[in-house]
Amino acid sequence: MDKKLGAKKTELQELPRIGDRVSFIYIEHAKINRIDSAITVRDKRGVVRIPCAMIGVLLLGPGTDVSHRAVELIGDTGTSMVWVGERGVRFYAGGRPLAHSTRLLERQAKYVSNRRLRLAVARKMYEMRFDNEDVSKLTMQQLRGREGARVRRTYRYYADKYDVPWDKRQYNPDDFLAGDVVNQALSAANVSLYGLVHSITVALGLSPGLGFVHTGHDKAFVYDIADLYKAEYTIPLAFQIASEYTAEDDIGRLMRLRLRDNLVDGKLMKRIVKDIQVLLDISEEEEIIAENFGLWDDKEELVSYGVSYGEEGD
């Protein structure tokens, strides 16, 4: 391989293989650069090389410097970057998507702007959480009530299982340490999950802000999708970590590392991609990413781009 060129740019058709990557890597107080087809992470302990194409998302914490050459490689290999706060418990910004097609985004916009289609997607989201229950006739108000009761039961179940004192979900987004240990653990785990879901959302070319249940927030769709998995991944782990916690522990770091270990097999990433396909009625036969670039036409919908449509002399 020509070292000047580095890694071969990821083909769009390879995007569904995001599920084969390491879920996420968190970096803080380090310098990120590039050597050949790998990024290098240097901190006070030394230098580590990481094959960029094998990472789903890089979580960049405080004190992180990243070079232009590293970002070039990260973008070309389809790795998403998310800038987060200390302990990974605040989301500040996200990097570029891999997808060049807007086909899925248009599908998402169509569904979210049509009352009937939006309700159908929202019901599917709740149906994924309620095993063997028919929610097809329930209103959004009824669905929210059922979901609230389900989550409260989940909290109480794991509080009893791990013998952790529990009152309610309570946290201050601007003061992580203000919450008790289990609420801190939940916040740290959820933000890491949001980062993973956000990276997949933008990689697929979807809008993080066009939510079906959540609305009015720039990550509404991210919250929609992440809520499908909290009862399985973040809630039980948070209570388990809280039961093992000692005063010397960094609860945010513990949660992040343990969640990463639970997601390292890539199964959740594959599942997220599949669930999004189900929610937006994308069949297995359809290419999830396709280059379909054209000019909009009010009669033919799309016409070829790169063509001069003016008459001679115009």
Side-chain angles (χ1 to χ4, degrees), residues 50-99:
I50 304 174
C52 199
M54 295 305 297
I55 307 169
V57 56
L58 278 176
L59 300 177
L60 305 182
T64 304
D65 293 332
V66 56
S67 72
H68 184 279
R69 293 194 70 241
V71 173
E72 179 185 26
L73 175 64
I74 290 166
D76 283 349
T77 54
T79 298
S80 291
M81 291 187 296
V82 178
W83 283 262
V84 297
E86 189 175 4
R87 300 184 179 89
V89 296
R90 293 289 300 275
F91 180 102
Y92 296 123
R96 56 163 282 189
L98 176 62

Side-chain angles (χ1 to χ4, degrees), residues 194 197 208 214 217 219-228 230:
Y194 296 151
V197 173
H214 295 84
H217 194 281
K219 293 187 288 292
F221 187 68
V222 173
Y223 297 150
D224 280 356
I225 300 301
D227 278 355
L228 301 177
K230 287 180 180 177

Side-chain angles (χ1 to χ4, degrees), residues 9 41 69 73 81 86 114 119 130 179 240 279 288 314:
K9 186 170 181 177
V41 180
R69 293 194 70 241
L73 175 64
M81 291 187 296
E86 189 175 4
N114 180 290
L119 180 58
F130 302 138
Q240 180 182 354
L279 291 169
I288 195 164
D314 283 358

Side-chain angles (χ1 to χ4, degrees), residues 26 49 53 74 80 89 122 154 157 163 201 209 234 250 257 284 309:
Y26 175 82
R49 288 195 186 194
I74 290 166
S80 291
V89 296
T154 303
Y157 172 81
D163 194 23
T201 298
T234 63
D250 180 337
L257 292 177
E284 293 184 3
Y309 289 96

Side-chain angles (χ1 to χ4, degrees), residues 19 233 263-272:
Y233 285 92
L263 303 180
V264 73
D265 59 9
K267 290 181 180 178
L268 180 59
M269 288 193 290
K270 292 179 181 178
R271 185 170 157 194
I272 291 171

